[in-house]
Amino acid sequence: MWVKLDDSFFENRKIVRLSARAKLLFLAGLTHTAKHLTDGYLLDADVRVIRVFADATAKHVQELAGA
């Protein structure tokens, strides 16, 4: 499976202000949902898995959710 990503992703004003870990968390979530065909929906268990991939904390999850 593949993921379509806008080539202006890192220039988006919501993305620019995120920490590097929150950006990586978003990308890990994007690839996870594409791989598992979830239409972008993440279960709590999925979030725990992608946090490991992104080496992210609960703080990064909140940062991303707030954006």
Side-chain angles (χ1 to χ4, degrees):
M1 187 54 60
W2 56 274
V3 172
K4 196 177 227 183
L5 186 64
D6 188 324
D7 58 3
S8 297
F9 173 78
F10 289 102
E11 297 168 16
N12 182 292
R13 62 188 172 102
K14 291 181 181 178
I15 300 303
V16 166
R17 63 184 185 199
L18 291 175
S19 67
R21 288 283 180 234
K23 290 173 189 168
L24 185 56
L25 184 65
F26 177 82
L27 295 174
L30 188 64
T31 58
H32 182 85
T33 59
K35 179 179 181 178
H36 297 284
L37 304 174
T38 68
D39 291 326
Y41 185 78
L42 290 169
L43 300 171
D44 289 340
D46 297 328
V47 174
R48 286 192 294 273
V49 169
I50 65 169
R51 275 183 55 192
V52 171
F53 294 154
D55 194 26
T57 66
K59 176 185 167 196
H60 297 112
V61 173
Q62 290 302 317
E63 176 186 1
L64 184 57

